[in-house]
Amino acid sequence: MKKLLLTGFEPFLSFTVNPTMRIVEELNGLEIGDYQVLSRVLPVDFALSGAKILAHIEDVKPDAVISLGLAGGRYKITPERIAINVKDGAADNEGHIPVDETINIEGEPGYFSTLPIRQMVNKLLEEGFPAEISNTAGTYLCNNVMYEALQYAKTVNPNMKAGFIHIPASHELAIQHGKIPSWSHADLKKSVEICIGELV
């Protein structure tokens, strides 16, 4: 059976819970389609997150990597098309605020996802879940780990698929936060399982 490294993030900024963390913990060890899921939770830390996902890739030696991130305010499941070689944005959990920083000085300006993102979106829509491809992963931690995983795939293991999926807030988080759209935890989790099922 093939191995999938599935990552989520710890809570960050004003988001006191992170649904990606709960999802990856619950899916850890399950077999979905052709893959066994091996989950890890990443820190919201610009200095550590890239190194952490690379260490997990070296440890797990996965056939595919899917990283999940919370996009508070989005109302669809959005597989990302591209990661860019930039760190810029709000403070991470350690208080670091990068401005126009390069992720990897030797890296390409950007890397495209190698996940079957169109098939994922089509299957989600078929199953009744709002979804679309996103053309920007931003420049925060989500883009950072997506870029690192894709650069690894490009330069070290071209047979490894890699990419990133943003998900909306959970109801629990939306109640705490106020005015953001949300999905039930069950629907968020089911949507991630559907995406994993398209890794064929």
Side-chain angles (χ1 to χ4, degrees):
M1 176 161 280
K2 295 180 179 180
K3 293 186 288 186
L4 168 67
L5 173 61
L6 182 68
T7 72
F9 281 106
E10 64 186 4
F12 65 102
L13 299 178
S14 61
F15 300 106
T16 59
V17 295
N18 193 328
T20 68
M21 182 175 177
R22 182 177 171 191
I23 289 169
V24 301
E25 289 174 345
E26 291 180 2
L27 294 182
N28 186 39
L30 297 184
E31 295 179 1
I32 301 173
D34 297 331
Y35 287 81
Q36 179 185 27
V37 180
L38 299 166
S39 298
R40 302 290 188 271
V41 177
L42 298 173
V44 178
D45 182 332
F46 278 107
L48 293 180
S49 60
K52 284 284 188 182
I53 194 168
L54 294 179
H56 293 321
I57 290 171
E58 289 284 355
D59 178 51
V60 173
K61 295 179 172 54
D63 299 280
V65 179
I66 296 178
S67 294
L68 304 177
L70 167 66
R74 290 190 190 180
Y75 55 92
K76 297 180 180 181
I77 301 293
T78 50
E80 297 295 341
R81 192 187 301 273
I82 189 170
I84 60 174
N85 196 1
V86 177
K87 290 188 279 190
D88 188 286
D92 63 17
N93 283 353
E94 300 303 313
H96 177 60
I97 304 174
V99 177
D100 301 334
E101 292 184 13
T102 299
I103 295 173
N104 190 312
I105 194 68
E106 298 179 353
E108 298 292 331
Y111 293 109
F112 286 101
S113 173
T114 54
L115 299 178
I117 57 175
R118 180 59 65 188
Q119 293 94 309
M120 288 176 173
V121 165
N122 289 345
K123 187 64 173 178
L124 286 165
L125 293 172
E126 180 184 318
E127 296 292 328
F129 293 101
E132 65 182 2
I133 292 173
S134 166
N135 292 313
T136 174
T139 52
Y140 195 55
L141 271 293
C142 297
N143 175 77
N144 190 59
V145 301
M146 180 183 179
Y147 184 91
E148 292 279 16
L150 283 168
Q151 185 180 47
Y152 183 96
K154 179 76 172 181
T155 60
V156 180
N157 184 6
N159 294 320
M160 185 185 81
K161 298 176 182 177
F164 199 96
I165 301 172
H166 268 117
I167 68 171
S170 60
H171 292 331
E172 177 188 10
L173 183 55
I175 289 169
Q176 293 182 18
H177 201 271
K179 299 178 180 180
I180 56 174
S182 63
W183 288 28
S184 70
H185 174 72
D187 282 348
L188 290 172
K189 182 178 174 183
K190 179 61 177 177
S191 295
V192 172
E193 293 179 72
I194 289 171
C195 289
I196 295 171
E198 292 303 297
L199 289 174
V200 294

